[in-house]
Structure formats: C-alpha cells, structure tokens
Amino acid sequence: MITKKGFNLRTICGEQIIVAEGVENIDFSKIISMNESAAYLWQQVQGRDFTAEELIELLTQEYDVDNETAEKDIQDMIKTWYDAGIIE
C-alpha cells in the first residue's frame, strides 16, 4: 500500500484532517478526520510503501494495545482509508 499524493494531514480547529491538495484531488465527500493514533500512523507512512503488519507494529510500539486488538483496528482503518481513496 501507499498513501496517494496530494493528501496531507492538517490540524484544523483542533481536529486532525486529511486535506486533498491539488486540482485532481478535489472531492470533498472524501474528507477524513483522524484520531490521534490514525494521525500518528499516517505521518509515519505518508509518501512511502507500507504493509498492514508495519502499521500493527507501529501501533503496538507507540500505544498500549495488544497485537490482536491492533490487528483488528488496523484492518478497519485500512478499509476506511481505501474507501476514502487516500491510499492505493
């Protein structure tokens, strides 16, 4: 997987939001708000290839979460990111 170019994390009114930048990415139906852990993971992998296993490892290293919970959360997050069109 890789994050799509033109989608950047910004803090807007205290919220972590993925913002589409550039004419090819103007689709406001795909704006996505991220919680602290999702924003952390996005920052770690933005602009490079990554795997679900890498996201699980990053999550368990940074936060107090077991592998089973992390795996479920990451699978849900990846689906959300795919559905929003911010990764490929």
Side-chain angles (χ1 to χ4, degrees):
M1 289 172 276
I2 190 166
T3 58
K4 286 187 178 178
K5 290 182 180 180
F7 291 94
N8 296 301
L9 184 67
R10 301 281 184 250
T11 302
I12 301 172
C13 297
E15 296 262 343
Q16 299 281 353
I17 305 287
I18 294 293
V19 176
E21 297 176 350
V23 174
E24 67 279 1
N25 290 327
I26 296 178
D27 180 356
F28 293 108
S29 68
K30 296 192 177 167
I31 291 175
I32 187 167
S33 177
M34 293 196 174
N35 64 21
E36 179 185 328
S37 57
Y40 165 76
L41 293 171
W42 181 268
Q43 291 170 328
Q44 299 306 304
V45 300
Q46 188 174 13
R48 66 177 181 84
D49 288 320
F50 62 93
T51 64
E53 291 76 22
E54 182 180 2
L55 292 174
I56 293 165
E57 185 176 330
L58 286 166
L59 187 62
T60 57
Q61 287 176 352
E62 185 69 17
Y63 296 93
D64 184 24
V65 62
D66 62 83
N67 253 22
E68 186 176 317
T69 301
E71 185 175 347
K72 182 193 177 310
D73 290 349
I74 292 300
Q75 293 305 322
D76 291 344
M77 187 187 71
I78 288 171
K79 181 181 181 329
T80 299
W81 287 5
Y82 267 123
D83 291 348
I86 62 175
I87 62 172
E88 53 190 6

